[in-house]
Amino acid sequence: METLHAIGKDIPKKESWNKVTGAARYNTDFNEPGVLHAWLVTSLYGHALIKSIDKTLTLKFPGVLAVVTGDSMPRLIGPILEDRPPLAIDRVRYFGEPIAIVVADSLSKAKEAAGKVYVEYEPLPVVDSLKDALEKKYILHEDLPLYRRIKPDEIFPQPGTNIANQIKIRKGDMDRGWAESDVIIESTITLPQSLHAAMEPRNARAEIKPDGKVIINTSSQGPFDVKKELSYYFNLEESKITVNVPLVGGGFGGKTTPQLEILALLASQSVNGRPVKLIESREQDFTTSPGHLGLEAYIKLGANRDGMLKAIEITCQVDTGAYTDSGTKMTRAMAADCTGPYNIENVHCDAFCIYTNHTYVTAFRSFGRLSHTFAIERAMDKLAFSLGIDSLELRIKNAVNPGHFTPTNVKLNSSNLGNLPECLKRLKQMINWDEGIRIELANGKVRAKGLSGLWKTSSSPPNATGAAIITFNRDGTVNLNVGAVEIGMGIKTALAQILAEKLQMDINKINVVMEVNTETSPRHWKTVASMTGYMVGNAVLDAAEDVIKQLCKTASVVLRCPPEVLQVGGEKVFLKADPTIFVEQRAIACGYKYPDGSSTGGEVIGRGNFIMHHLLPMDPDTGRGKLGPAWAVGAQAVEVELDTKDYTYKILKAATVLDAGKVLNPKNAKGVTMGGMCMGLGYGCREASLFDSGGVRMNPQFRTYHLMRYGENPEYLVDFIETPQLDSPYGMRGIGEHGIIGMPAALANALSAAAQVNLDFTPLTPEAIWKAKRGVSL
Amino acid sequence: MIPFDFEYYKPTSAQEAVSLFHNLRSQEKNPMYYGGGTEIISFSRLYQLFPKAVIDVKGIPECNVLEFKNDKLVIGAAKTLSQVQESNLFPLLNQCGGRVADHTIRDKITLGGNICSRIPFREAILALLVSDCEVIIENKNGIRKVPLESIYTESMLLEPGDLLLQFTVEKNYTVMPFFSMKKTADGDVDYPQDRIGYPLLSGVFLNNKGHIRAAFSGLCPYPFRSLKLEAVLNDTTVSPDEKLNESVQCLPAPILNDMDSSAQYREFVFRNTLAGALDNFEGVEF
Amino acid sequence: MKFLDTGTIELLVNGEKRSALVRPSDLLLDVLRDQLGLTGAKPSCKNGDCGACTVLVDGWPVKSCLMLAVEAIGHEIITIEGLQNAPLQQAFVDEFAFQCGYCTSGFIINCHALARIHPKADEAVIREWLQSNLCRCTGYEEISKAIHSVLSTHKS
């Protein structure tokens, strides 16, 4: 039999034609007569006491059925630390914080009536910066020590401060490290909060059936998490909750932890369980729902004369905003990978998760590494400059390699790490590094290059799972049902490819269930962390093995031979030794019917699962532990052309080389990587959540919060190397997030070289570079 | 979703529109003339405007003219910025109007609407300010024709019910050499129409037989043309450096300081732009 | 013409006469989606900033969040559902020019209009037009390839 290959092929997304015809349905595309609409009343202040909420006028408004306020759910919630009221109670801590939900029989009435809820505020001092927070301008959570810690092994709040968490890494001997260092540099960076800005605003619909069953329809990356948390917060049996997720219009981490699902359910509760839709406006999506963390980091980095890194001291201060949500977990994740992809034996890292009156934060593509990498990679460039060593050579020299230990003392090998030096070498060719990093052109223009290394592992719970169910149609075609959500990365197609390769089938004959329904889809932790291909992919392989075993068993009866001599492929089960002797898959997948009419075999149903193994929580004193099964490493570069007269610049080229383990779908992998790069460049050059001194968001629209637009993107150079991860499907590594990680750092390094000034911040606007050149602090 | 109701009228004549306006006003319906509607819709959605009636002017024939008549370019106020741009009858206006919002929205924004915008940049007006534009306005007392500068200072000084019908520009202004630019907070502009976003500085320089006329948006809180500034630019006795210094002194208002840019940086960009423009006109046959 | 209150209007959408019960202040986007079931045009910013709701009005791209439904009376509306096997749709599939797909309807509609109105568009015109739409997933390269592949067909 000829081998069929689905792995390594440019297979268009299964849902492609639905997406180009408008037929693809997202959560707000389902029209439904009789559904009620909710609109949020949100805080106009960054920090204030709520003196009173007057809903009289609203309740009198025609079409209004209910106004829900914080007293309907007087408890705190949070995935790691319970510090956030679903609806504000007595106090708001960020601009946009939900205060009330107005439920009406039409969206326009809900919205108009929401404008009539009168909230009386008493403004409080605003903690507008990490500095304010650390100086205790105001303690934002007086009850911090009383808050329930959901994950006690990873959250260590400091009562009487604004510090929600501190993670420590202590590795090696710092005194020895500094003693061995001939050159020591210090570097401080500042990065603002920003936004996920998925094109589909966040939304949810809730309904409680007369039998008590709760139905949630939501745009979420974690349907099973929604089910788990609602069950816990509302004290419901999990069997009483069904969460449905259709195609999701972009997530980037912003749709991982439940928020609107809870509010929609409160709204439905207030109207006897009638279905209620809650759709955020763009402005609410940008201010009410969580964003991306801000970071200030201090690094002291030492190396010997030869450029070998000897010691690093890192302090990270994460701006988690008003509540922690995933902020504490990202703080931990950046501490765990705190050296960047470089081998340093002596490490001292303190990572703090700090409350401010900014928007609270949640997971964001790269889970903190984007920000932390900026700190490391700026420091690496400064060190290279001080040592007089080529910055790419410095990175190759110090790259993590098999045999090294991570900051949390995980021993690395080529399977769990990949090959960073090879990525750097490939990158060097790709961007013609040897022509020089700074070239002066005519007209006062300068062309310059900057680069960044990167690595990232995942931070799942140690018992996170993936699962898959395979069923057959009577024609022998296959249905694959998984709990992974299609958020745009092509995961459903990738899983179909994994299955097609394993069953040796035409991928067009594999149907993937696009939607996730927690009642019928097998559980998956959540679609995050670039881990779905690994976790659910392994489950798919497991399910395929199960299918093969069942097919061979039935076929062995039909073909009168032991199952061991049979093989599945080309929609047949055949004798390995003589493929001309076979039975069609379709003849046995739903039971085999003998010529005389009697039957045997029955339905083939494949089931497969996967659970994380050998993960260990981090030790609170040293950080020893293991957060994820493997890393993916890579190297990135940016080439800019800076006009030294006015500091405007063009991003000419952006390059990425990732160790992908095995590229399942090259065109898709390149696309996802370029998308990450574009997002990273956007963060580097222009994106920032801007707050005034009262904590009021000044740019809550696309009109004022600028994303990269068509044609502003550079020329992309993307390549992959393939060092297999041995326990992953076909050796693949998760790389969905990685394109973003080093981009802001590479951009800052390129512009610092071009402008000949240290640029240790984003966004790198022309004005900001101009100010840095003039020595004006921002 | 506009969270309130309003009445919608689409009259077919200017007289009808004006009388509707006054009628609705007397009923306290806060009527607004509706061109492209982009601003009425987006501001109403955010509770920043509350018309109880809108009067769509796109059905009025005079508002839909776009042609040369007796050596004058006549542009109806309801012509969209895209239509003006595609007609290519007035390249300077193409460039200024062609930088407002983005291309698709310019299929909706009208010239009259942009010039009366509440968003302070109103870039299309720059071309009209330097070209001795006249404005034709209808109201209760009939039609009047006035020079643009007589009814524009920081914004359009219109009486209630004033309906902008047309803008007229002498043909010779439409063929004069010019230089125009726009910079935003995000940086460089690669292509003439590139870059979505409010301007840090948007400027036009028209070479009127050797005399430079200039108008700017984004620099001060409103678009302006300053004769005082033009006098400096055209003064042949002053060195280029002095011109820049003096120009900054004759701005009509303090330089804008907002989240897109500090006033200092705007001034820096303004000086660079002037220097570039002066270079640009150097050697041009005046 | 006037509409003082909620009433029925007739719209010409994708070649069909459709009637809808609208308030004069209802947006074309909301009426297309909620009343006519044409959910291809997507709400994302509802402020004219992102282009996800772009439809054709008399052949020109318009952001349907910035147009009243009553304004569309007498005009020919084409939504993404009205395109059938348009070259741009095939090009978007072939080039992988979308990931989550939420911006795709708007991008395709805008590209489709561009290819019809300026079949020989140069780079400056392509940029000017397509900067009206935002995509958060791709890095725009695939969209660029898709529009160029269709325009080059016209050019050759």
Side-chain angles (χ1 to χ4, degrees), chain C residues 67-108:
Chain C
M67 184 166 195
L68 301 175
V70 292
E71 254 185 294
I73 295 169
H75 297 278
E76 190 190 345
I77 313 294
I78 302 285
T79 69
I80 186 75
E81 290 90 345
L83 298 190
Q84 268 158 22
N85 288 314
L88 250 319
Q89 291 172 308
Q90 185 69 53
F92 266 61
V93 173
D94 292 345
E95 298 297 343
F96 289 40
F98 51 87
Q99 289 175 29
C100 84
Y102 202 81
C103 73
T104 309
S105 304
F107 255 111
I108 289 179

Side-chain angles (χ1 to χ4, degrees), chain A residues 178-195:
Chain A
W178 297 130
E180 288 172 3
S181 298
D182 299 311
V183 173
I184 295 172
I185 62 102
E186 292 180 71
S187 176
T188 303
I189 61 98
T190 309
L191 305 173
Q193 282 198 356
S194 68
L195 300 171

Side-chain angles (χ1 to χ4, degrees), chain B residues 4 64 71 93 97-98 110 168 190 220:
Chain B
F4 55 85
N64 282 301
D71 272 355
L93 181 58
T110 60
T168 68
D190 227 10
C220 295

Side-chain angles (χ1 to χ4, degrees), chain A residues 28 56 64 75 134 136 214 220 311 392 398 409 465 503 577 600 619 664:
Chain A
T28 60
T56 327
V64 170
R75 61 159 297 156
L134 292 171
K136 304 186 194 177
V214 169
S220 170
L392 195 144
N398 289 287
N409 268 296
T465 62
L503 294 181
T600 186
D619 179 87
L664 299 185

Side-chain angles (χ1 to χ4, degrees), chain B residues 36-37 51 87 110 120 128 144 181 191 211 213 222 225 242 248 252 283 286:
Chain B
S87 77
T110 60
L128 303 180
R144 67 187 200 274
M181 53 68 65
Y191 288 78
H211 181 90
R213 293 181 173 191
Y222 49 86
R225 174 188 172 192
E242 285 171 79
V248 175
F286 287 162

Side-chain angles (χ1 to χ4, degrees), chain A residues 714-725:
Chain A
E715 177 190 347
Y716 297 101
L717 307 167
V718 175
D719 205 355
F720 300 102
I721 62 169
E722 300 187 326
T723 311
Q725 180 183 333

Side-chain angles (χ1 to χ4, degrees), chain A residues 188-484:
Chain A
T188 303
I189 61 98
T190 309
L191 305 173
Q193 282 198 356
S194 68
L195 300 171
H196 303 82
M199 294 309 292
E200 180 199 17
R202 284 167 275 203
N203 65 82
R205 173 199 176 280
E207 176 179 10
I208 309 163
K209 295 284 192 192
D211 63 2
K213 184 138 195 177
V214 169
I215 313 286
I216 303 287
N217 299 70
T218 178
S219 174
S220 170
Q221 296 173 246
F224 293 91
D225 231 28
V226 172
K227 175 159 134 171
K228 186 182 84 184
E229 294 209 10
L230 290 183
S231 152
Y232 169 57
Y233 297 141
F234 289 83
N235 199 20
L236 292 164
E237 285 172 26
E238 283 203 20
S239 66
K240 294 279 186 202
I241 303 170
T242 301
V243 180
N244 295 296
V245 175
L247 293 172
V248 170
F252 316 114
K255 294 174 178 171
T256 48
T257 47
Q259 182 199 27
L260 300 183
E261 296 86 351
I262 295 162
L263 301 182
L265 184 51
L266 285 174
S268 179
Q269 277 184 341
S270 74
V271 289
N272 292 321
R274 289 174 67 181
V276 181
K277 262 189 191 181
L278 172 55
I279 304 172
E280 282 187 326
S281 67
R282 176 53 58 187
E283 290 83 358
Q284 289 167 338
D285 182 84
F286 275 9
T287 58
T288 298
S289 283
H292 169 222
L293 59 79
L295 176 70
E296 289 186 28
Y298 161 82
I299 286 181
K300 185 175 163 192
L301 181 60
N304 69 13
R305 228 167 260 110
D306 299 332
M308 299 310 294
L309 300 177
K310 290 297 172 187
I312 189 165
E313 183 187 326
I314 308 168
T315 308
C316 290
Q317 298 171 356
V318 169
D319 180 354
T320 193
Y323 304 104
T324 50
D325 195 86
S326 300
T328 62
K329 219 178 174 69
M330 288 186 283
T331 306
R332 188 180 68 140
M334 63 174 82
D337 285 348
C338 70
T339 53
Y342 307 109
N343 180 48
I344 311 179
E345 283 171 13
N346 307 302
V347 182
H348 181 109
C349 170
D350 286 304
F352 298 93
C353 179
I354 298 168
Y355 290 119
T356 65
N357 285 124
H358 294 160
T359 317
Y360 81 97
V361 305
T362 193
F364 181 89
R365 194 178 206 164
S366 84
F367 214 60
R369 272 56 156 229
L370 160 73
S371 310
H372 179 260
T373 299
F374 190 95
I376 290 292
E377 297 295 329
R378 284 296 298 133
M380 288 296 279
D381 259 32
K382 289 174 193 176
L383 183 68
F385 184 80
S386 293
L387 287 163
I389 294 180
D390 176 85
S391 62
L392 195 144
E393 288 307 318
L394 181 71
R395 287 170 171 93
I396 291 180
K397 210 178 258 244
N398 289 287
V400 275
N401 276 312
H404 291 147
F405 288 84
T406 72
T408 67
N409 268 296
V410 176
K411 189 170 186 186
L412 297 166
N413 58 46
S414 83
S415 169
N416 70 9
L417 178 66
N419 190 338
L420 178 61
E422 189 55 34
C423 293
L424 284 159
K425 285 173 198 159
R426 186 83 57 96
L427 186 76
K428 187 176 178 179
Q429 300 292 320
M430 218 155 133
I431 56 163
N432 194 14
W433 182 257
D434 286 339
E435 72 170 334
I437 62 166
R438 187 175 193 277
I439 297 168
E440 296 198 1
L441 310 169
N443 303 329
K445 293 197 172 159
V446 173
R447 193 155 56 79
K449 301 187 210 318
L451 56 86
S452 171
L454 66 92
W455 72 339
K456 180 189 180 292
T457 185
S458 53
S459 316
S460 73
N463 61 348
T465 62
I469 299 171
I470 297 167
T471 57
F472 282 82
N473 302 303
R474 283 150 37 89
D475 58 4
T477 58
V478 170
N479 305 305
L480 175 62
N481 186 5
V482 294

Side-chain angles (χ1 to χ4, degrees), chain B residues 172-190:
Chain B
N172 58 333
Y173 287 109
T174 66
V175 292
M176 286 176 190
F178 65 87
F179 168 74
S180 88
M181 53 68 65
K182 172 182 178 179
K183 291 236 190 257
T184 67
D186 300 332
D188 206 5
V189 181
D190 227 10

